[in-house]
Amino acid sequence: MALSLGEGGGGSRLRRQLESGGFAAGEYVKQLSQQSDGDRDLQEHRQRIQALSEETAQSLKRNVYQNYRQFIETAREISYLESEMYQLSHILTEQKGIMEAVTQALLLQADRDDPALGARRAAAADPFLPLSAKEAAASEEGRQRTLTTLLEKVEGCRDLLPESPGKYLVYNGDLVEYDADHMAQIQRVHAFLMNDCLLVATALPSRRGAYRYDALYPLDGLAVVNVKDNPPMKDMFKLLMFPESRIFQAENAKIKKEWLEVLEEAKRSRALSEKRRLEQEALPRPPPAPPESTNPFDGEEDEEEDEPSAEEEAVDLSLEWIQELPEDLDVCIAQRDFEGAVDLLDKLNEYLADKPASQPVKELRARVDERVRQLTDVLVFELSPDRSLRGGPRATRRAVSQLIRLGQSTKACELFLKNRAAAVQTAIRQLRIEGATLLYIHKLCHVFFTSLLETAREFETDFAGNNGCYSAFVVWARSSMRMFVDAFSKQVFDSKESLSTAAECVKVAKEHCKQLSEIGLDLTFIIHALLVKDIKGALQSYKDIIIEATKHRNSEEMWRKMNLMTPEALGKLREEMRSCGVGNFDQYTGDDCWVNLSYTVVAFTKQTMAFLEEALKLYFPELHMVLLESLVEIILVAVQHVDYSLRCEQDPEKKAFIRQNASFLYETVLPVVEKRFEEGVGKPAKQLQDLRNASRLMRVNPESTTSVV
């Protein structure tokens, strides 16, 4: 074959041919078919092309893997470089701030030493600083006029922004506001930066160059954060004003940089001016000269009055950490550093504990109290049920502990218990009602009592030193138990479950309730009080069912012996009667598989003992009379029927058989019922004793042929 290709050179020629730019697959196949000697040549050529394809694929995989490794290494190096650049930028920013603070401190000290030199330096450094009273008035008037002109364009800010001699406009410009969560554009705004506040206004579409007031933020409570560019979102910065934050986008990177610089400079100037004001107020001032008086005791009184005044002015509020305290609190709140914020407040309270309440101290307290209210609001929101309820009770410990440190123990207790109530309610609602009722009750009890136990332990940990809060926890536990019982009763009693199922469910609930005794909390009496109504209804309902069934069997009674047909059936009946407490049942069995008792009496015995066993599982003192009266009513139906049959029956054999059944009821069944009731309740029942001791339970007219029930 002309195009037969072997290994080595043939493979290289084939590869070059396939890689050539003018390669045409159709022409190549057509030419190959014409020159081929047969099907075998085409198969061999196809195998070579397939091998070349696999070799090319492997080569591509190796190249991709190598490039991927290089990409990962490059990305890691870029990340390291970015981290180092960020650290370097942070260090340079800190150095710049330190140098500026040192320079300002030196200039301030020099100004104190030589006021004339300070005035000349200020005049040379600031071209806007007036050199004369006339120039000062003109400059101030110009700034006021500019501010007034701009603010006239903003509707609704005249009353919110009172005019003051020291207020002037620093910077203004258009910005675009974005949603902080979804980064979607909200609106276009115009921002006015004054020397003490930032005004945000929205554009009026109906009037060009006019705006409507939107918000006003003091610089003291404003934090500026640079937002890293993430195309297409770029040239953005964030303003943090508790409890909200807003994101704005500048027109370009240059304007964004200008906004960041002027905001930081305005905040710094505001803090510096406030610091100077506090220092001036802290300086001792000579008291005014008192008027001359002829009273010789006035001098002593003045000296006594001057002493506390000097003490009031002796409070040093010029410390750097005190000056920066409000802003540091804003940063801690914005960064959710609640512990740091409370630590700062404790430090301030400790510093001012033995200091007199001078006017500067009162002003500082007022500014700090505003931050305390903001911090409290954030902590309250952290404990609100609207927040995520995951994490269990421990997730609330951080907010609760900080509220307690702020002196808000009562509020912390209330919010903690509301949060846990919502969590318990949510957990109960999320339980699926599927399968058997007993299985659901097991899950319900596990979820509820485990949550209650964890809440109690966490409450004891958080409020260990607040004994007054424990009463609130007991009230909360009672209300939570009521919510549990509502869900329990809806599933167990409203759905008309059998008495045995209800007894097992109540038993499970009691066993879980006993777990709370580990922490000294006993709520058994509460669950009894809440369930007593439903259990009474269940007992009376089941009593009525037994009475109706007994009456129905009595109406069909033929007074015949039972023939169980097989020894197995007789043995099963013996076991059933033995489990009911009837140990002498063998004396009532006859030859083969006969039982010398009526089917009605045997069925009544089994049903009555089963009712008594299930009722004792539900028993607590509040149900004593209900259970006792139900037993008496059930027994009366049977013994009255036997008494009536004895009076009406004329056949001697049947009458003897009826007497044998009556003897079984009086001498065997009733003592067993009385004994089992006393064992389960803990005390004997006089009504059952009277019922057993009476030879006849009811006197009937011998001539009567109707049963009195």
Side-chain angles (χ1 to χ4, degrees):
M1 172 181 164
L3 290 178
S4 177
L5 298 176
E7 301 296 332
S12 300
R13 287 195 301 271
L14 178 59
R15 182 182 289 107
R16 286 196 299 271
Q17 186 176 4
L18 295 176
E19 292 175 351
S20 62
F23 175 75
E27 293 294 331
Y28 177 76
V29 173
K30 182 178 179 181
Q31 181 182 4
L32 183 64
S33 301
Q34 292 175 353
Q35 298 178 0
S36 175
D37 293 340
D39 181 66
R40 177 178 293 181
D41 291 340
L42 291 176
Q43 291 289 343
E44 292 177 354
H45 200 83
R46 180 179 178 277
Q47 293 177 359
R48 292 190 183 94
I49 293 177
Q50 185 68 28
L52 185 60
S53 174
E54 293 177 356
E55 181 182 351
T56 304
Q58 291 295 331
S59 178
L60 286 174
K61 288 182 180 178
R62 287 194 297 270
N63 291 336
V64 169
Y65 178 71
Q66 292 177 358
N67 293 336
Y68 182 67
R69 290 183 58 187
Q70 292 177 359
F71 174 77
I72 293 176
E73 293 175 358
T74 305
R76 188 180 294 114
E77 292 296 331
I78 291 174
S79 177
Y80 292 155
L81 181 60
E82 183 180 9
S83 176
E84 292 175 356
M85 291 298 295
Y86 177 78
Q87 295 177 2
L88 182 60
S89 174
H90 184 67
I91 293 172
L92 290 176
T93 303
E94 289 183 349
Q95 293 294 332
K96 179 182 176 182
I98 293 172
M99 294 300 294
E100 289 179 351
V102 171
T103 304
Q104 292 290 342
L106 293 175
L107 292 177
L108 183 61
Q109 185 65 33
D111 292 346
R112 290 179 180 174
D113 297 339
D114 190 353
L117 178 60
R120 290 195 299 273
R121 183 184 298 109
D126 191 352
F128 298 101
L129 191 64
L131 298 176
S132 64
K134 184 177 180 180
E135 293 176 354
S139 176
E140 185 69 25
E141 183 180 356
R143 288 184 173 182
Q144 289 287 337
R145 188 182 302 111
T146 303
L147 178 61
T148 303
T149 303
L150 287 174
L151 294 182
E152 285 177 352
K153 300 179 180 180
V154 182
E155 293 183 357
C157 73
R158 179 61 61 186
D159 297 333
L160 298 172
L161 197 65
E163 295 184 3
S164 60
K167 187 184 295 293
Y168 59 89
L169 184 68
V170 177
Y171 194 81
N172 72 96
D174 292 325
L175 297 171
V176 180
E177 184 177 5
Y178 280 78
D179 182 73
D181 296 327
H182 307 289
M183 298 307 291
Q185 182 175 336
I186 300 177
Q187 60 184 348
R188 301 187 68 86
V189 300
H190 195 90
F192 299 89
L193 176 62
M194 270 82 64
N195 60 322
D196 60 347
C197 61
L198 176 67
L199 173 66
V200 180
T202 57
L204 289 175
S206 59
R207 294 171 53 191
R208 182 177 181 82
Y211 306 95
R212 178 183 290 109
Y213 168 82
D214 182 71
L216 181 67
Y217 305 109
L219 293 183
D220 295 341
L222 190 67
V224 187
V225 179
N226 182 23
V227 178
K228 185 178 179 181
D229 290 347
N230 185 16
M233 301 301 174
K234 59 181 182 177
D235 304 329
M236 292 183 173
F237 59 93
K238 180 185 290 188
L239 298 182
L240 301 177
M241 309 77 56
F242 181 84
E244 60 177 322
S245 63
R246 301 176 71 170
I247 293 181
F248 298 100
Q249 183 183 45
E251 186 176 352
N252 51 50
K254 180 182 178 182
I255 296 179
K256 170 189 173 181
K257 182 179 179 182
E258 291 177 357
W259 270 109
L260 294 176
E261 291 177 352
V262 296
L263 283 168
E264 290 296 336
E265 184 63 30
K267 286 173 57 64
R268 193 179 299 111
S269 300
R270 176 66 178 170
L272 184 59
S273 63
E274 187 69 17
K275 180 179 179 181
R276 289 177 178 174
R277 185 183 66 80
L278 292 176
E279 289 177 352
Q280 292 295 329
E281 293 178 353
L283 293 176
R285 299 177 182 176
E292 295 182 1
S293 174
T294 58
N295 189 349
F297 299 101
D298 285 348
E300 297 179 2
E301 293 178 359
D302 293 342
E303 291 177 0
E304 293 176 359
E305 292 176 358
D306 289 345
E307 289 178 1
S309 176
E311 291 180 359
E312 290 181 1
E313 298 296 336
V315 182
D316 184 12
L317 300 180
S318 61
L319 299 176
E320 183 178 357
W321 69 271
I322 293 181
Q323 295 298 317
E324 297 178 354
L325 182 65
E327 187 173 353
D328 290 343
L329 287 175
D330 290 336
V331 173
C332 289
I333 294 172
Q335 295 179 349
R336 300 171 60 80
D337 183 11
F338 307 135
E339 294 83 358
V342 179
D343 290 341
L344 289 174
L345 292 172
D346 290 344
K347 183 178 179 182
L348 177 65
N349 292 331
E350 182 180 356
Y351 178 76
L352 299 177
D354 54 349
K355 303 294 190 299
S358 61
Q359 185 61 29
V361 172
K362 292 180 180 178
E363 294 179 359
L364 178 61
R365 286 283 192 187
R367 296 173 60 195
V368 172
D369 288 345
E370 179 63 27
R371 271 70 178 185
V372 172
R373 284 192 293 271
Q374 296 174 0
L375 177 60
T376 303
D377 292 341
V378 174
L379 294 174
V380 168
F381 178 70
E382 287 292 314
L383 291 174
S384 64
D386 297 334
R387 297 283 289 172
S388 175
L389 298 174
R390 297 180 181 178
R394 293 186 180 181
T396 62
R397 182 180 298 178
R398 185 184 180 203
V400 169
S401 61
Q402 302 313 314
L403 277 176
I404 294 175
R405 290 179 62 188
L406 290 174
Q408 302 282 346
S409 300
T410 303
K411 182 177 290 187
C413 176
E414 178 185 358
L415 293 171
F416 172 77
L417 294 178
K418 283 184 178 179
N419 180 282
R420 296 313 306 155
V424 172
Q425 187 175 11
T426 302
I428 291 177
R429 287 179 177 176
Q430 289 177 349
L431 280 178
R432 290 187 176 183
I433 303 177
E434 58 183 2
T437 300
L438 186 59
L439 178 60
Y440 171 79
I441 294 301
H442 272 287
K443 293 180 180 179
L444 176 64
C445 292
H446 175 74
V447 168
F448 175 75
F449 286 102
T450 301
S451 299
L452 196 64
L453 189 61
E454 291 177 352
T455 301
R457 288 172 176 168
E458 184 64 25
F459 187 90
E460 190 174 8
T461 301
D462 293 344
F463 299 93
N466 297 275
N467 296 331
C469 295
Y470 281 86
S471 58
F473 176 78
V474 174
V475 174
W476 173 85
R478 182 181 180 86
S479 64
S480 299
M481 185 66 75
R482 185 178 292 108
M483 177 177 60
F484 163 77
V485 170
D486 289 342
F488 182 93
S489 298
K490 184 177 180 180
Q491 188 65 22
V492 175
F493 296 108
D494 293 354
S495 58
K496 304 299 181 183
E497 291 289 341
S498 64
L499 190 64
S500 60
T501 301
E504 287 297 326
C505 292
V506 173
K507 181 181 177 182
V508 171
K510 288 182 179 179
E511 291 175 353
H512 278 82
C513 194
K514 290 179 182 178
Q515 296 177 0
L516 300 178
S517 60
E518 299 177 6
I519 57 172
L521 184 64
D522 186 5
L523 299 179
T524 307
F525 68 99
I526 295 180
I527 197 171
H528 285 173
L530 295 174
L531 285 175
V532 63
K533 181 179 178 181
D534 292 323
I535 295 178
K536 281 183 179 179
L539 289 176
Q540 292 173 352
S541 176
Y542 201 69
K543 174 203 69 175
D544 294 339
I545 293 175
I546 294 177
I547 290 176
E548 289 298 324
T550 304
K551 287 182 178 180
H552 179 72
R553 288 193 296 266
N554 290 344
S555 65
E556 299 177 353
E557 178 61 72
M558 302 298 293
W559 294 112
R560 296 176 181 176
K561 296 181 180 181
M562 293 178 62
N563 184 4
L564 297 179
M565 307 300 291
T566 62
E568 289 79 9
L570 181 60
K572 182 179 179 181
L573 181 60
R574 284 196 182 100
E575 289 297 325
E576 291 176 349
M577 300 305 289
R578 190 177 294 111
S579 64
C580 291
V582 181
N584 59 344
F585 185 72
D586 289 340
Q587 70 183 30
Y588 296 99
T589 59
D591 298 334
D592 296 331
C593 298
W594 289 91
V595 177
N596 298 326
L597 292 173
S598 168
Y599 167 77
T600 301
V601 173
V602 172
F604 168 79
T605 302
K606 293 193 293 183
Q607 203 167 19
T608 302
M609 294 306 300
F611 170 77
L612 179 59
E613 290 297 329
E614 300 301 337
L616 289 176
K617 294 179 183 178
L618 296 169
Y619 178 83
F620 45 87
E622 290 82 356
L623 298 172
H624 183 83
M625 291 307 301
V626 176
L627 176 57
L628 188 57
E629 291 172 358
S630 298
L631 278 174
V632 170
E633 289 185 37
I634 293 172
I635 294 172
L636 278 175
V637 174
V639 297
Q640 287 173 358
H641 173 67
V642 172
D643 184 76
Y644 174 74
S645 298
L646 280 173
R647 280 163 166 50
C648 296
E649 185 60 51
Q650 302 298 325
D651 187 353
E653 293 184 2
K654 284 191 176 182
K655 203 163 189 177
F657 181 68
I658 294 173
R659 285 196 185 95
Q660 188 175 8
N661 282 272
S663 174
F664 176 75
L665 281 177
Y666 284 115
E667 298 175 4
T668 302
V669 176
L670 291 185
V672 169
V673 171
E674 182 182 346
K675 179 182 178 182
R676 184 69 188 94
F677 183 88
E678 185 175 353
E679 290 175 353
V681 174
K683 58 182 179 180
K686 187 175 182 302
Q687 292 89 334
L688 294 178
Q689 292 176 355
D690 296 342
L691 196 63
R692 179 171 60 87
N693 293 331
S695 59
R696 294 181 183 274
L697 302 179
M698 179 173 286
R699 299 284 182 181
V700 296
N701 188 350
E703 299 179 358
S704 174
T705 58
T706 59
S707 176
V708 181
V709 179

